[in-house]
């Protein structure tokens, strides 16, 4: 009876598995702060996508960990960079799997900021947008289906959209990290992606947690600039933003269940303080109920494995 009248359902087809791909094999292996999550080489990433595909998880979000970093993130727009090579290899082996590439500079800059830093130590918005556009084109040429800018610079969605269109990539979609808050919950990710800022913080370009109306304004700007999917991030503390976005806009909404949300649940489960499977089901249900279409979660594979048809 409960199944008959249930209002919301988690669909495996709406889950996205984030994946960390390393350029240097020496950096591959388990991530200490995220039990159960690994860094893959390009080759092992392709194998893992095969495992996900068999479980019907058909969308991955790639993060690259380059071998070299510099002040201007040049390893990011290298046509043979790690994300570019991973995307080509995955699309070649599993053409039907949707490859989403996170587009940001923080993993590629020596200072760990998401943008280019000027002589005053401030992030230069427009110089950063140029680098993002350049990188986005190399991603598109490598077969990436969806570009996901997570840097939070102003005007980047329009700049990327125009560049993609002018190079014949009208079919490449943009999933904008529109409402991305300056959050403590990214802690484990920064270890995973080696992207902790070496000075300062990200508060000049990420959003202030108390602000909700500002999130709707950011989302509406990104939609005007050409975003196909908009995102709210993190997930659990921002479900009100997901709901408000759902009620205000007609575009698909993604929610990012970030590293800290993953790791705290894992840690509690490992201590026997919480029933992991039930907690994960409840967590993902909360995202669906709040109105998310796309759920980006490190639990995607586990969830799909537990709910696979026998
Ligand atoms: C890059 C980026 C971050 C995350 C996704 N893209 C880190 C940050 O902004 O500091 C966080 C993802 C997670 O915590 O799982 N800017």
């Amino acid at each position: 009876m409960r199944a008959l009248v249930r209002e919301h359902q988690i669909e495996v087809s709406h889950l996205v598995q984030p994946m960390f791909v390393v350029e240097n094999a020496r950096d591959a292996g388990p991530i200490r702060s995220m039990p159960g999550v690994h860094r893959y080489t390009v080759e092992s990433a392709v194998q893992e996508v095969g495992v996900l595909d068999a479980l019907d998880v058909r969308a991955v979000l790639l993060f690259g960990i380059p071998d070299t970093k510099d002040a201007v993130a040049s390893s990011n727009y290298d046509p043979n960079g790690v994300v570019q090579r991973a995307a080509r290899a995955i699309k070649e082996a599993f053409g039907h799997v949707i490859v989403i590439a996170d587009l940001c500079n923080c993993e590629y800059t020596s200072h760990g900021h998401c943008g280019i830093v000027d002589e005053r130590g401030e992030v230069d918005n427009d110089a950063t947008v140029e680098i993002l556009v350049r990188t986005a084109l190399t991603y598109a040429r490598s077969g990436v289906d969806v570009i996901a800018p997570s840097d939070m610079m102003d005007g980047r969605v329009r700049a990327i959209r125009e560049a993609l269109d002018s190079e014949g990539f009208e079919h490449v979609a943009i999933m904008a990290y529109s409402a991305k808050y300056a959050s403590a919950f990214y802690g484990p990710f920064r270890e995973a992606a080696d992207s902790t800022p070496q000075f300062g913080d990200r508060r000049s370009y990420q959003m202030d947690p108390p602000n909700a109306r500002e999130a709707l304004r950011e989302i509406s700007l990104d939609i005007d600039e050409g975003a196909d999917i908009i995102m709210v991030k993190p997930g659990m503390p921002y479900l009100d933003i997901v709901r408000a976005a759902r009620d205000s806009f007609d575009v698909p909404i993604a929610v990012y269940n970030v590293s800290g949300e993953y790791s705290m649940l894992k840690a509690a489960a490992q201590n026997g303080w919480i029933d992991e499977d039930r907690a994960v089901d409840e967590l993902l249900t909360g995202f669906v109920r709040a109105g998310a279409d796309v759920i980006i979660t490190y639990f995607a594979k586990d969830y799909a494995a537990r709910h696979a048809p026998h």
Side-chain angles (χ1 to χ4, degrees):
M1 181 75 91
R2 268 194 293 272
L4 188 65
V5 296
R6 195 160 282 151
E7 296 177 36
H8 298 94
Q9 216 79 260
I10 302 161
E11 303 283 351
V12 171
S13 57
H14 289 227
L15 302 182
V16 177
Q17 178 73 49
M19 290 181 73
F20 299 99
V21 189
V22 299
E23 186 159 27
N24 191 321
R26 149 193 92 211
D27 297 325
I31 298 165
R32 198 183 46 89
S33 58
M34 300 179 72
V37 178
H38 296 259
R39 289 169 161 205
Y40 298 98
T41 59
V42 169
E43 296 69 35
S44 59
V46 174
Q47 277 173 12
E48 178 68 5
V49 170
V51 175
L52 292 167
D53 180 37
L55 292 169
D56 295 337
V57 176
R58 305 247 160 83
V60 292
L61 172 61
L62 301 184
F63 291 95
I65 292 127
D67 200 25
T68 55
K69 301 176 188 243
D70 61 23
V72 293
S74 48
S75 49
N76 204 2
Y77 49 81
D78 177 353
N80 274 319
V82 60
V83 168
Q84 291 84 346
R85 285 200 292 118
R88 283 198 293 270
I90 293 168
K91 290 304 285 187
E92 200 171 299
F94 302 99
H96 57 283
V97 169
I98 299 297
V99 172
I100 310 172
D102 181 272
L103 175 62
C104 196
N105 292 309
C106 62
E107 302 107 286
Y108 303 88
T109 51
S110 38
H111 45 69
H113 275 286
C114 301
I116 305 307
V117 176
D118 66 17
E119 56 287 348
R120 292 166 303 158
E122 307 274 354
V123 169
D124 181 335
N125 190 90
D126 296 359
T128 303
V129 170
E130 272 177 44
I131 303 271
L132 293 170
V133 166
R134 200 162 156 184
T135 303
L137 286 173
T138 67
Y139 287 175
R141 290 185 196 114
S142 307
V144 164
D145 301 289
V146 184
I147 309 271
S150 70
D151 52 282
M152 293 297 279
M153 298 303 127
D154 292 330
R156 90 276 206 219
V157 172
R158 187 183 314 276
I160 294 166
R161 184 71 270 162
E162 283 173 359
L164 289 173
D165 290 353
S166 71
E167 299 268 326
F169 296 114
E170 294 88 352
H171 56 283
V172 173
I174 297 179
M175 175 166 76
Y177 286 68
S178 305
K180 177 174 178 180
Y181 287 88
S183 173
F185 289 94
Y186 307 147
F189 172 94
R190 292 184 184 168
E191 183 193 316
D194 188 19
S195 68
T196 308
Q198 299 303 304
F199 59 88
D201 54 43
R202 301 208 205 292
R203 276 185 272 196
S204 69
Y205 41 98
Q206 298 185 350
M207 287 185 51
D208 198 20
N211 295 357
R213 289 189 301 267
E214 185 188 359
L216 298 182
R217 202 160 64 238
E218 291 280 0
I219 291 169
S220 127
L221 285 171
D222 282 353
I223 295 172
D224 286 348
E225 289 186 23
D228 301 286
I229 304 172
I230 62 91
M231 191 200 297
V232 175
K233 175 185 173 188
M236 293 158 76
Y238 300 93
L239 290 180
D240 58 322
I241 311 294
V242 175
R243 169 48 55 193
R246 174 73 297 148
D247 290 343
S248 308
F249 304 106
D250 292 330
V251 300
I253 295 173
V255 66
Y256 197 146
N257 177 217
V258 303
S259 57
E261 303 175 62
Y262 173 85
S263 296
M264 66 184 186
L265 204 152
K266 274 284 183 192
Q270 286 183 345
N271 276 297
W273 296 336
I274 202 168
D275 177 335
E276 177 172 336
D277 293 352
R278 281 188 57 208
V280 170
D281 289 358
E282 195 173 330
L283 173 71
L284 301 186
T285 300
F287 295 137
V288 175
R289 205 180 54 241
D293 303 292
V294 178
I295 302 173
I296 303 163
T297 178
Y298 301 95
F299 290 115
K301 180 183 177 184
D302 283 3
Y303 180 88
R306 277 193 292 112
H307 294 83
H310 302 293

